[in-house]
Amino acid sequence: MNGDVDRLAELFLGAKRPVAFTGAGVSTESGIPDFRSPGGLWDRFDPSDFTYRNFVGSVGGRRKYWQLGRVTYPVIRAARPSAAHLALAELHRLDRLDCCITQNIDDLHQRAGLPPDKVIELHGNAGRTRCLECGAAYTRDEVHAWLDVSDEVPACPRCGGIVKPTTVLFGEPMPATELREAERRARAADLFVVLGSSLVVYPAAYMPAHAKHAGATLAIVNLEPTPLDARADLVIRDRAGAVMAAVVEEVRARAAQRESCERREALEQQSAP
């Protein structure tokens, strides 16, 4: 992996607008199950029971969703940022990351230290909810506190409207603002790095294709093959956390070396007759 890590580090150092794109493989390294994998959540529950239409259309649909949420949300809440999350936050601090586009809903990029305005969440955030009637916002922790007191389906304390997590349910349109911004950032990137995504969930998976079509260098770090491997400039078949931790170390070392060389050259120019 060393040669590939070196190349990816050099790509980050040379890029002016590097963009990361993260999928479930980054979150599984934090202990959050991949619901789509064999044996995952959707092998045990019928996804058709958890559609947007069912949620907004009946109290029973909402009750079923919140029953599931009482099982899944505590797992997400208890998770901690992985090496990949921490590496991306460090790349931002080193001014080596324009933004992170993510398919994940767990808030772990922000908890790792990436500023919220640098994280574009295509599928929403499991930690936030809002009322579909008046728009009032509540944290997921607040809603679960209501559930601990009563088994009633959560309703907005202000207007009695439907309270829904900001995560995108089956059959629900993706957030238009985030989708537009993600596409804009992808097309403006000169380096686009996919981390832990199988690139089979659309329209999110169009983002690396947009970047490549616009001329970006495309790197893919994933344990399994993806549909875009043949178009990528670099493919690393490994865990995102291990790769990105090594990349950050290499970026730090090379950046320090370059800075030292630049200082030495400046001193030599100052002392030249």
Side-chain angles (χ1 to χ4, degrees), residues 92-110:
H92 172 263
R93 284 189 285 270
L94 294 169
D95 198 26
R96 294 290 91 211
L97 187 69
D98 179 56
C99 72
C100 176
I101 303 169
T102 187
Q103 297 172 281
N104 300 330
I105 61 173
D106 46 44
D107 204 49
L108 287 173
H109 286 299
Q110 294 91 322

Side-chain angles (χ1 to χ4, degrees), residues 173-237:
M174 290 175 65
T177 300
E178 284 79 0
L179 194 60
R180 283 195 301 270
E181 181 64 6
E183 183 172 341
R184 184 184 75 80
R185 295 292 189 100
R187 292 187 185 279
D190 53 358
L191 172 64
F192 196 94
V193 181
V194 175
L195 300 170
S197 175
S198 58
L199 299 180
V200 296
V201 179
Y202 291 89
Y206 285 126
M207 297 306 153
H210 289 321
K212 182 65 178 175
H213 182 73
T217 299
L218 176 61
I220 298 175
V221 181
N222 197 53
L223 283 171
E224 303 296 331
T226 81
L228 279 183
D229 285 1
R231 296 181 61 188
D233 300 280
L234 175 64
V235 176
I236 303 177
R237 194 77 68 228

Side-chain angles (χ1 to χ4, degrees), residues 27 32 35 65-66 68-79 102-108 110-111 121-130 138-144 147 163-169:
S27 291
I32 297 175
F35 295 158
Y65 175 88
W66 288 111
L68 178 65
R70 295 186 77 170
V71 175
T72 58
Y73 176 67
V75 176
I76 294 172
R77 188 70 181 83
T102 187
Q103 297 172 281
N104 300 330
I105 61 173
D106 46 44
D107 204 49
L108 287 173
Q110 294 91 322
R111 285 195 263 163
E121 296 173 313
L122 294 179
H123 295 156
N125 189 301
R128 297 193 290 268
T129 74
R130 66 181 179 87
Y138 305 97
T139 68
R140 187 71 174 263
D141 289 339
E142 285 180 280
V143 176
H144 279 255
L147 289 167
V163 173
K164 178 192 171 296
T166 62
T167 49
V168 176
L169 302 183

